[in-house]
Amino acid sequence: MPRPGGASSAYLIRSAGSAVLFDIGSGAFAKLQLAFDYLSLDAILVSHMHADHFFDLVPLRYALKYGERHRENRLPLWLPPGGRRALDALRTAVSQDATDDFFDSTFEISEYDPSGSLRVNDLGLRFCRTLHYVEGYALRAETDDASIAYSADTAPCAEIVEFARGGSLFLCEAALGLATEEGRRGHSSAHEAGEMAEQARVGRLVLTHYPARYSTSALIAAARERFSGQVTAADDGVEIPL
């Protein structure tokens, strides 16, 4: 859940020629407006269809449709396989008209092929299946000069390590904080995020998706026990140049 005054998952990736949003969870659209003109987004990619990663498509839709300024074209929205079905279920919950093009009027909606790749201007985009409770995908954005790997929600696995390998920045979840997870796995701890970052030999680790009951200093210290590089914690509005 969001910390008091905060928002759920949303990460704005900007390059010389692109502005792409990874996820748009509850509260994220209000935060986005403090940092960027949402009309200038080139695309949105959703990692998986859990509410804290896509629910603010609703207020963004209202802004795109009824705001004082408008886009010339619909905003490209890329969902994971099967994501369209979940989005349609949300549409029926927020729109009484079963035939309403609630999301299609403002978004150009597609489901990405996880085995393939996408290109948005100068950004190359790739995917990797995560180890989570529902089907989800880590996302990686690359230019000629830098790369960002976003773990999305995942338990530690070799595939995510390989996916992040050599990246400039690894944005990794630490939803367990300093705790452990028994039985079926779907999340990582700060220790495990640090271990994956070390194995992947990334340039920098940024912890995200962590619970408010732990201090960021404690989480960073835990990750540093496993990762020899720079470690910081994500927060609303933080900008990281690469």
Side-chain angles (χ1 to χ4, degrees):
M1 67 179 188
R3 287 165 291 158
S8 294
S9 298
Y11 310 96
L12 178 63
I13 314 299
R14 298 181 64 185
S15 63
S18 300
V20 174
L21 197 65
F22 284 178
D23 286 343
I24 181 166
S26 54
F29 179 55
K31 296 290 185 179
L32 177 65
Q33 293 176 79
L34 297 174
F36 189 72
D37 179 5
Y38 62 90
L39 293 177
S40 297
L41 285 171
D42 292 298
I44 298 174
L45 280 78
V46 176
S47 64
H48 66 290
M49 303 304 287
H50 271 163
D52 55 331
H53 294 262
F54 80 97
F55 258 26
D56 261 25
L57 288 174
V58 174
L60 175 56
R61 176 264 183 191
Y62 281 109
L64 291 171
K65 189 172 183 67
Y66 299 114
E68 294 180 358
R69 297 179 298 126
H70 299 277
R71 289 175 59 94
E72 294 182 359
N73 51 11
R74 293 180 297 163
L75 175 59
L77 170 62
W78 291 91
L79 305 175
R84 182 63 201 241
R85 184 171 59 253
L87 194 66
D88 285 343
L90 178 60
R91 175 186 59 79
T92 61
V94 297
S95 174
Q96 296 181 353
D97 185 354
T99 63
D100 183 21
D101 60 347
F102 186 84
F103 288 112
D104 290 278
S105 63
T106 52
F107 298 108
E108 181 183 348
I109 304 170
S110 305
E111 294 183 0
Y112 51 76
D113 177 2
S115 64
S117 61
L118 297 174
R119 188 149 199 96
V120 178
N121 301 327
D122 61 341
L123 274 183
L125 300 164
R126 297 191 286 121
F127 315 92
C128 178
R129 180 72 182 263
T130 65
L131 186 59
H132 195 43
Y133 312 119
V134 300
E135 184 174 355
Y137 294 90
L139 308 173
R140 181 162 176 153
E142 300 174 312
T143 67
D144 292 336
D145 302 317
S147 62
I148 296 173
Y150 164 46
S151 73
D153 286 10
T154 188
C157 61
E159 291 79 6
I160 296 299
V161 169
E162 191 58 37
F163 185 66
R165 186 168 302 283
S168 308
L169 186 150
F170 184 29
L171 184 63
C172 187
E173 72 120 289
L176 300 181
L178 303 179
T180 58
E181 188 174 44
E182 303 297 332
R184 185 183 180 192
R185 296 293 310 271
H187 285 296
S188 300
S189 68
H191 284 105
E192 290 170 329
E195 188 171 344
M196 285 194 288
E198 183 69 20
Q199 293 172 352
R201 299 186 180 277
V202 299
R204 179 173 180 174
L205 171 63
V206 178
L207 301 174
T208 192
H209 207 283
Y210 51 83
R213 66 180 177 273
Y214 297 107
S215 69
T216 56
S217 59
L219 297 174
I220 290 170
R224 283 176 175 163
E225 292 178 7
R226 308 287 177 86
F227 179 54
S228 56
Q230 183 179 5
V231 184
T232 55
D235 200 357
D236 297 315
V238 167
E239 296 186 13
I240 302 175
L242 297 177

